[in-house]
């Protein structure tokens, strides 16, 4: 009996491999998966940020500039830049927030210090303004910025972008846009003359913790990472902004956070949420990766006896960690701060509507993939192949055995059992391979078995799943491919949602990309019903379904 589908609350904890070489191959795979899941494979072109300061707050020891950044054309990310007095250069921190009611403007009075567990647990609070100001007082430049839909970054409503299968089909997600925003924040910080460009850190709690370890995994510029109350094997994040197409198939937040190894990282956890096991479970699992580098001391964890929080104890642990690793100094206690968060609002410049921005995101993906297909060199094909494999969440077998005889594999997969509501429920395709991916994986398994049996050239005959399998593994028993498209409309989102859904599949080019990659040997696409256009490929296209005799005749003609 197959295991039930995984969801965000399914316990999942990775095991580090035995060697550093094996881990680095795995870490590379995870980085690429994150980028693909975020709709950032390959990375989009970076456009001018046009930083716009809309107001300034002068305190006795720090200056705060309220800034808007155009992270992609027509979209403005808003936040506050906290600066120490002086010329610098200073280390800089990207500061993300989680789902606090007021986002980066959250100011809650702290609670009395809680005794260690099993004593009475304290309430969870967060003063995110004090956090950024305290870092600036201790010699850091800090950019604290909004999640989508919070405060002044209001061109999208939070939890609405990437909130449907049709958007995930294109690889468009809230998590993806927020990850891109974080990458652009690092660009902004590095552009400032008073910032030490080689000393960048990142921190955030809850959903901000998710943003922290994702950014740290994909952007090498982050040198120190402090994710707070989010690195867990028990809950992976319950919002659109923490789930993305295919992100966690076969992996989890602990493994993603471990990609940052061997650089310094602090897991801050508490007894009153899903991070309660960090000292006994998640921390030791991640430290095994650090041990592969001989740097176990670079991963630390602390736990405090509170509910979900970014309380002053958690904040002061973070200050001390950043001070040690980015300034070579001892952290300080947090001092009182008199500052009305209303002073930190940003007057956002005019931008595009959410509908226009969504259309732009899809168009950028389509144009990027079309350009790669047109270029069609070895590097472009590998980018496309990896993206297609990520969309399908398949494992690519390696060819084994001596290549010799020719053989034929005829696949009769039948219609896919894909109910759209089930594919969306609990972010199913963030954690699980879709039915289409399962069909393709079965074909790949059969191809691998043929290779192991000594088959050198394998003719594949079947439907869409055969085309996709050949595309992601063109060198596994290469041979002719015959595909009955069944009138599949390769340029129509509805066709994929009804018959061939995989997250990000349209974003990587869909069947047009698959046909290009499968075209390294003779390719026959029949029963197209004139709904498939040949694009930069040389193959035989037939509008009607061919008979077995006609297929045999074609196979004979191609050798």
């Amino acid at each position: 009996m197959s295991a039930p589908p995984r969801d965000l609350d399914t316990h999942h904890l990775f095991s580090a491999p035995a060697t550093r070489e094996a881990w680095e191959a795995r870490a590379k795979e995870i980085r690429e998966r994150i980028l693909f899941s975020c709709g950032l494979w390959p990375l989009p072109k970076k456009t001018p940020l046009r930083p716009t300061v809309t107001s300034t707050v002068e305190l006795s020891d720090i200056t705060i500039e309220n800034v808007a950044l155009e992270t992609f054309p027509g979209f403005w990310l808003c936040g506050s830049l906290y600066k120490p007095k002086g010329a610098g250069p200073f280390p800089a921190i990207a500061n993300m927030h989680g789902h606090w009611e007021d986002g980066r403007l959250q100011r809650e009075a702290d609670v009395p210090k809680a005794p260690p567990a099993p004593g009475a647990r304290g309430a969870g609070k967060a003063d995110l303004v004090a956090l950024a100001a305290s870092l600036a007082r201790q010699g850091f430049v800090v950019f604290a910025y909004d999640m989508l839909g919070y405060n002044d970054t209001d061109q999208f409503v939070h939890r609405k972008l990437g909130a449907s299968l049709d958007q995930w089909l294109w690889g468009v997600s809230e998590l993806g846009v927020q990850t891109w925003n974080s990458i652009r924040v690092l660009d902004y910080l590095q552009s400032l003359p008073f910032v030490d460009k080689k000393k960048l850190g990142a921190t955030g709690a809850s959903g901000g913790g998710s943003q922290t370890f994702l950014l740290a995994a994909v952007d090498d510029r982050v040198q120190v990472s402090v994710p707070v109350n989010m690195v867990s094997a028990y809950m992976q994040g319950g919002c659109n902004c923490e789930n993305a197409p295919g992100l966690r198939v076969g992996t989890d937040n602990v493994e993603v956070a471990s990609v940052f190894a061997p650089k310094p990282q602090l897991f801050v956890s508490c007894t009153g949420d899903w991070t309660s096991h960090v000292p006994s479970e998640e921390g030791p699992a991640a430290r095994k990766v650090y041990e592969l580098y001989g740097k176990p001391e670079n991963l630390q964890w602390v736990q405090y006896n509170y509910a979900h929080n970014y309380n002053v104890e958690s904040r002061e642990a973070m200050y001390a960690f950043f001070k040690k690793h980015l300034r070579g100094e001892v952290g300080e206690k947090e001092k009182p701060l008199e500052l009305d968060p209303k002073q930190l609002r940003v007057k956002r410049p005019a931008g595009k509507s959410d509908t226009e921005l969504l259309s732009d995101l899809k168009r950028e993906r389509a144009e990027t993939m079309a350009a790669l297909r047109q270029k069609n060199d070895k590097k472009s094909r590998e980018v496309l192949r990896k993206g297609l494999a990520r969309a399908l969440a398949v494992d690519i077998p390696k060819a084994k055995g001596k290549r010799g005889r020719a053989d034929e594999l005829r696949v009769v997969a039948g219609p896919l059992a894909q109910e759209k509501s089930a594919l969306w429920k609990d972010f199913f395709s963030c954690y699980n391979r879709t039915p289409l991916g399962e069909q393709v994986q079965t074909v790949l398994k059969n191809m691998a078995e043929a290779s192991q049996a000594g088959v050198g050239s394998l003719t594949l005959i079947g439907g869409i799943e055969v085309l996709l399998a050949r595309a992601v593994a063109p060198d596994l028993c290469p041979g002719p491919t015959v595909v009955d498209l069944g009138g599949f409309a390769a340029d129509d989102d509805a066709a994929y949602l009804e018959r061939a859904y995989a997250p990000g599949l349209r974003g990587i080019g869909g069947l047009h990309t698959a046909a290009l990659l499968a075209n390294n040997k003779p390719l026959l696409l029949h029963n197209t019903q004139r709904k498939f256009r040949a694009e930069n490929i040389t193959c035989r296209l037939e509008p009607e379904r061919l008979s077995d005799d006609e297929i045999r005749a074609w196979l004979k003609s191609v050798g």
Side-chain angles (χ1 to χ4, degrees):
M1 182 179 294
S2 61
R6 186 180 158 207
D7 63 25
L8 62 93
D9 292 317
T10 303
H11 181 270
H12 194 283
L13 183 62
F14 87 110
S15 295
T19 67
R20 176 173 164 179
E21 180 182 24
W23 168 251
E24 290 184 343
R26 174 64 174 164
K28 181 174 185 288
E29 178 187 340
I30 293 170
R31 286 189 198 97
E32 292 176 352
R33 176 180 299 176
I34 295 169
L35 291 171
F36 177 79
S37 297
C38 290
L40 303 177
W41 179 261
L43 282 172
K45 179 182 178 181
K46 292 180 178 179
T47 53
L49 284 168
R50 299 203 294 158
T52 303
V53 178
T54 67
S55 61
T56 301
V57 179
E58 289 287 354
L59 301 181
S60 62
D61 48 0
I62 63 173
T63 299
I64 306 170
E65 293 179 347
N66 300 315
V67 184
L69 305 174
E70 192 175 24
T71 58
F72 57 93
F75 177 82
W76 293 90
L77 172 68
C78 299
S80 297
L81 183 73
Y82 296 72
K83 303 187 296 183
K85 300 292 186 179
F90 303 104
I93 308 298
N95 177 210
M96 309 79 158
H97 69 80
H99 294 89
W100 317 109
E101 183 177 357
D102 295 322
R104 65 182 172 86
L105 307 182
Q106 186 83 3
R107 296 217 67 185
E108 292 182 298
D110 229 303
V111 296
K113 183 175 180 178
R121 181 180 298 144
K125 300 293 182 180
D127 189 339
L128 303 187
V129 176
L131 182 160
S134 295
L135 278 170
R137 285 170 164 174
Q138 297 185 52
F140 296 89
V141 173
V142 181
F143 190 63
Y145 51 102
D146 296 326
M147 293 202 299
L148 294 187
Y150 274 75
N151 298 313
D152 310 301
T153 306
D154 57 359
Q155 289 167 266
F156 289 110
V157 176
H158 197 70
R159 300 181 190 267
K160 294 298 183 182
L161 179 65
S164 61
L165 278 188
D166 62 313
Q167 293 181 39
W168 275 32
L169 180 65
W170 279 90
V172 173
S173 67
E174 199 159 83
L175 183 150
V177 173
Q178 291 188 172
T179 301
W180 179 247
N181 286 343
S182 294
I183 291 171
R184 299 311 318 268
V185 164
L186 297 186
D187 294 337
Y188 171 57
L189 290 171
Q190 285 194 320
S191 76
L192 300 173
F194 45 84
V195 165
D196 186 332
K197 297 171 177 54
K198 294 183 179 180
K199 291 185 176 181
L200 302 181
T203 189
S206 191
S210 298
Q211 295 169 69
T212 297
F213 60 68
L214 287 165
L215 174 66
V218 300
D219 198 313
D220 289 337
R221 292 175 294 178
V222 179
Q223 297 303 306
V224 183
S225 177
V226 184
V228 178
N229 291 337
M230 202 60 237
V231 178
S232 172
Y234 290 83
M235 201 281 285
Q236 305 295 308
C239 179
N240 291 351
C241 74
E242 296 171 278
N243 292 276
L247 176 63
R248 296 188 183 90
V249 178
T251 189
D252 49 66
N253 286 353
V254 188
E255 186 172 32
V256 171
S258 300
V259 171
F260 192 62
K263 291 183 283 188
Q265 183 167 206
L266 174 67
F267 294 166
V268 180
S269 64
C270 65
T271 59
D273 71 8
W274 45 87
T275 62
S276 61
H277 297 270
V278 163
S280 60
E281 206 169 329
E282 293 92 340
R287 183 167 281 170
K288 289 185 182 299
V289 174
Y290 279 76
E291 289 171 354
L292 296 175
Y293 293 89
K295 295 283 187 180
E297 71 281 2
N298 275 4
L299 177 66
Q300 299 293 322
W301 54 83
V302 293
Q303 186 169 87
Y304 299 108
N305 192 24
Y306 298 97
H308 195 59
N309 74 90
Y310 213 153
N311 282 1
V312 67
E313 278 195 270
S314 299
R315 299 195 296 272
E316 288 179 348
M318 174 266 292
Y319 304 151
F321 199 75
F322 279 137
K323 288 273 279 192
K324 175 182 178 180
H325 291 285
L326 291 177
R327 292 189 63 91
E329 300 170 356
V330 177
E332 302 172 16
K333 295 293 184 181
E334 190 172 284
K335 299 174 183 177
L337 176 71
E338 295 293 329
L339 180 61
D340 184 346
K342 291 179 182 178
Q343 294 178 268
L344 305 177
R345 296 302 297 264
V346 178
K347 187 177 181 181
R348 176 178 63 77
K352 296 181 179 180
S353 70
D354 57 353
T355 303
E356 291 172 313
L357 290 167
L358 178 59
S359 177
D360 286 351
L361 290 170
K362 290 182 177 180
R363 183 174 63 252
E364 188 276 332
R365 290 286 85 193
E367 290 175 352
T368 297
M369 299 311 146
L372 288 170
R373 291 196 299 272
Q374 184 65 37
K375 194 172 183 180
N376 196 23
D377 60 5
K378 183 178 180 180
K379 182 178 179 180
S380 300
R381 291 173 70 90
E382 184 62 6
V383 169
L384 292 168
R385 189 196 66 77
K386 284 187 173 182
L388 193 60
R390 295 281 174 267
L392 297 164
V394 292
D395 301 316
I396 310 300
K398 292 183 179 180
K400 295 181 180 180
K402 294 181 180 179
R403 291 187 174 184
R405 61 189 176 85
D407 206 342
E408 179 181 299
L409 174 63
R410 198 175 273 266
V411 178
V412 183
L416 284 171
Q418 61 169 39
E419 173 58 45
K420 284 188 285 186
S421 61
L423 288 173
W424 179 249
K425 183 181 178 183
D426 298 327
F427 308 112
F428 176 90
S429 59
C430 175
Y431 299 92
N432 304 276
R433 190 183 287 148
T434 64
L436 177 65
E438 291 289 359
Q439 284 192 352
V440 174
Q441 190 67 64
T442 298
V443 178
L444 289 170
K445 178 176 177 289
N446 292 335
M447 292 167 67
E449 290 172 350
S451 176
Q452 292 168 351
V455 174
S457 175
L458 184 65
T459 297
L460 295 181
I461 302 175
I464 291 168
E465 68 286 341
V466 159
L467 177 65
L468 293 167
R470 182 69 87 193
V472 298
D475 298 323
L476 183 62
C477 294
T481 306
V482 180
V483 181
D484 182 346
L485 286 177
F488 190 90
D491 296 304
D492 184 1
D493 287 4
Y496 291 89
L497 293 172
E498 292 293 335
R499 295 176 53 189
Y501 172 73
L505 184 55
R506 278 283 271 153
I508 199 65
L511 294 198
H512 292 297
T513 289
L516 177 77
L517 296 174
N519 197 212
N520 65 327
K521 294 291 183 180
L523 176 64
L524 167 60
L525 304 177
H526 66 115
N527 196 16
T528 67
Q529 299 177 27
R530 295 183 172 84
K531 294 179 181 179
F532 183 90
R533 54 185 171 82
E535 182 185 280
N536 204 33
I537 60 174
T538 302
C539 70
R540 181 175 172 183
L541 288 177
E542 292 291 342
E544 306 298 330
R545 178 182 285 113
L546 299 187
S547 67
D548 282 352
D549 287 344
E550 289 170 316
I551 291 171
R552 292 287 171 215
W554 177 78
L555 289 171
K556 184 177 181 180
S557 72
V558 297

